[in-house]
Amino acid sequence: MNNEVYPKPIQKLINFYKKLPGIGEKNAERMAMATYTQDDEELQSFADTLKDLKKSLTNCTICGHLSESEICSICANENRDKNLICIVEDDKSVFKFENVGNYTGVYHVLNGLISPIDNIGPENINLSSLVKRVENLKKPELILALKSTVEGETTTLYIKKIFEKKNIVISRLSYGIPMGAEIDYLDIITLDKALEDRKKISE
Amino acid sequence: MNNEVYPKPIQKLINFYKKLPGIGEKNAERMAMATYTQDDEELQSFADTLKDLKKSLTNCTICGHLSESEICSICANENRDKNLICIVEDDKSVFKFENVGNYTGVYHVLNGLISPIDNIGPENINLSSLVKRVENLKKPELILALKSTVEGETTTLYIKKIFEKKNIVISRLSYGIPMGAEIDYLDIITLDKALEDRKKISE
């Protein structure tokens, strides 16, 4: 009986919502019913946004970031330091850094990581454009901000090798203890990295 | 800087998702990004469902429940006992009972509760159709399944008064201890009701 409880359109909404991260059956049901009670105007506007979502967004021709125009608002911003490039895996990382709000440089979005197991080589990610981009800069500095998985480390190493030869300053995010974490609950690898990357605080 | 982090279409999705119950800023952001990564076909279908949502659903002319056709699937079901009517506040209650799956009668959806403070009288809820509906039944039985708030109790009493005179069997959901609840954590009113509504178990 369970699968005929909801009218088809409501069930369709539930099925869509369930595909989103962190949304279970119960939540999806509640959200679908709440969607039904929204103003029709609201629904039409949401539907229109969804209909044109893929068309209305493109990748920035400079950095590869999700953008409404050919050049994203970050690359187009005159106040951003174009010589400081933070290399990230995806758009979500850019949004994360922008939410923090302290970074004044620009980004380069790889839209993937090198993963030989999955047949993803350097040519399959947004990397060749980075090489060209850096060539045109006077005093480039690269910050590698990739995750600390096998794929992330492989990509970091690969990029490091390319630019090291060209005498370009490269750094990576520091590893260490997350703020507020209890030492005795930390995993061994993180603690080992924190020890290795220790920072001198004496004068 | 924070309010220009996302491209407009993504921000629109975030704003919509935030309106849904239980969805905070962080969740809405994650959901919007996940929405963007869905297949375009998926998005079009979801958008179409939203566009026609209000048009594709109506209220059952018999019971008032949300339905794709003039008569809802429950009222149209020959196996349902048409003499047993469960009176509920809204569609969500129907879905809840249907999810439980043990109820074999039909429903009557009031789409509201009597609330003098909010100027909602008996004529503002789907009640007159219930009176007509019951008149045509041979051996009607009404189950009042309204919430135990002032509005719920007022509506229950009002409906009880109408049908009591007509010698119709009326019952309400039992009050009591929720399954699995600890006695010493229960509120006083629930405990008082559970005592009042106690059920004899000796033979």
Side-chain angles (χ1 to χ4, degrees):
Chain A
M1 193 186 271
N2 215 330
N3 49 0
E4 283 176 30
V5 166
Y6 293 100
K8 267 193 215 85
I10 298 284
Q11 190 60 53
K12 271 190 185 174
L13 298 186
I14 294 174
N15 293 345
F16 185 87
Y17 285 138
K18 272 199 302 192
K19 288 181 189 161
L20 301 179
I23 307 300
E25 183 83 34
K26 274 282 141 247
N27 268 334
E29 286 174 12
R30 231 172 277 144
M31 286 165 63
M33 287 309 292
T35 302
Y36 181 69
T37 59
Q38 298 289 316
D39 291 345
D40 200 41
E41 202 183 320
E42 199 79 58
L43 287 178
Q44 298 305 324
S45 155
F46 183 52
D48 287 339
T49 309
L50 286 168
K51 268 206 161 323
D52 300 329
L53 194 58
K54 301 268 174 177
K55 268 178 277 170
S56 65
L57 292 171
T58 179
N59 289 320
C60 172
T61 51
I62 299 175
C63 73
H65 183 43
L66 209 58
S67 169
E68 285 175 88
S69 44
E70 259 195 52
I71 292 169
C72 77
S73 58
I74 298 167
C75 286
N77 188 336
E78 284 181 15
N79 297 318
R80 294 291 195 136
D81 181 356
K82 301 297 185 303
N83 279 291
L84 185 61
I85 302 178
C86 181
I87 301 166
V88 295
E89 178 186 351
D90 55 20
D91 314 300
K92 284 182 226 170
S93 301
V94 177
F95 294 134
K96 192 78 196 178
F97 275 106
E98 289 300 291
N99 268 321
V100 173
N102 279 328
Y103 181 65
T104 54
V106 291
Y107 299 91
H108 195 85
V109 182
L110 298 177
N111 282 320
L113 293 174
I114 298 171
S115 173
I117 294 175
D118 304 313
N119 271 321
I120 303 174
E123 67 283 1
N124 302 118
I125 62 176
N126 183 27
L127 198 52
S128 56
S129 68
L130 176 65
V131 180
K132 277 176 222 147
R133 192 179 169 191
V134 170
E135 274 168 9
N136 294 321
L137 295 174
K138 284 190 182 163
K139 218 191 151 209
E141 182 182 340
L142 303 180
I143 302 169
L144 283 153
L146 306 175
K147 60 186 172 194
S148 50
T149 58
V150 175
E151 291 80 17
E153 297 290 344
T154 307
T155 312
T156 294
L157 276 175
Y158 188 90
I159 296 176
K160 186 184 151 211
K161 271 190 189 161
I162 299 177
F163 293 102
E164 229 169 18
K165 300 173 204 159
K166 306 184 182 179
N167 273 323
I168 288 165
V169 182
I170 309 164
S171 55
R172 63 155 170 76
L173 294 186
S174 63
Y175 295 128
I177 304 163
M179 298 301 289
E182 302 269 356
I183 301 292
D184 54 344
Y185 281 105
L186 274 180
D187 62 294
I188 304 165
I189 301 168
T190 302
L191 206 55
D192 192 40
K193 287 282 183 189
L195 206 64
E196 195 183 310
D197 279 9
R198 65 188 177 277
K199 205 174 165 185
K200 209 173 172 181
I201 50 173
S202 60
E203 278 171 52
Chain B
M1 192 183 271
N2 213 331
N3 48 359
E4 282 175 30
V5 166
Y6 294 101
K8 268 194 215 82
I10 299 285
Q11 190 59 53
K12 271 191 185 174
L13 298 186
I14 294 174
N15 293 345
F16 185 87
Y17 285 140
K18 271 200 302 194
K19 289 182 188 161
L20 301 179
I23 306 300
E25 183 82 34
K26 275 279 141 247
N27 266 334
E29 286 173 11
R30 229 171 278 144
M31 285 165 64
M33 287 309 294
T35 302
Y36 181 69
T37 60
Q38 298 289 316
D39 290 345
D40 200 43
E41 203 182 318
E42 200 78 57
L43 287 179
Q44 299 306 324
S45 154
F46 183 51
D48 289 339
T49 309
L50 286 167
K51 267 205 161 323
D52 300 330
L53 193 58
K54 302 268 174 176
K55 268 178 277 170
S56 65
L57 292 171
T58 180
N59 288 320
C60 171
T61 50
I62 298 175
C63 73
H65 182 45
L66 208 59
S67 169
E68 285 175 89
S69 45
E70 260 196 51
I71 292 170
C72 76
S73 59
I74 299 167
C75 285
N77 187 335
E78 283 182 16
N79 297 319
R80 293 291 195 135
D81 181 355
K82 302 296 186 300
N83 279 291
L84 185 62
I85 302 178
C86 181
I87 300 166
V88 294
E89 179 186 351
D90 55 21
D91 314 301
K92 285 182 225 170
S93 301
V94 177
F95 294 133
K96 192 77 195 179
F97 276 107
E98 289 300 291
N99 268 322
V100 174
N102 278 329
Y103 180 66
T104 54
V106 289
Y107 299 91
H108 195 85
V109 183
L110 297 177
N111 283 319
L113 292 174
I114 298 171
S115 173
I117 294 175
D118 305 311
N119 270 322
I120 303 173
E123 67 284 1
N124 302 117
I125 61 176
N126 183 27
L127 198 53
S128 57
S129 68
L130 176 65
V131 180
K132 275 176 224 146
R133 192 178 169 192
V134 168
E135 274 168 8
N136 293 322
L137 296 174
K138 283 190 181 163
K139 219 190 150 207
E141 181 180 341
L142 303 180
I143 302 170
L144 282 153
L146 306 176
K147 60 186 172 195
S148 50
T149 58
V150 175
E151 292 78 19
E153 297 289 345
T154 308
T155 312
T156 294
L157 277 175
Y158 188 90
I159 296 176
K160 187 183 150 211
K161 269 188 191 164
I162 300 177
F163 294 102
E164 230 171 18
K165 300 173 206 159
K166 303 181 182 179
N167 271 325
I168 287 164
V169 182
I170 310 164
S171 53
R172 64 157 170 76
L173 295 186
S174 61
Y175 295 127
I177 305 163
M179 298 301 288
E182 302 269 354
I183 300 293
D184 53 345
Y185 282 104
L186 273 180
D187 63 293
I188 305 167
I189 302 168
T190 302
L191 207 56
D192 192 42
K193 286 282 184 189
L195 207 64
E196 196 184 310
D197 280 9
R198 65 188 177 277
K199 204 174 165 185
K200 206 173 175 183
I201 49 171
S202 61
E203 278 169 52

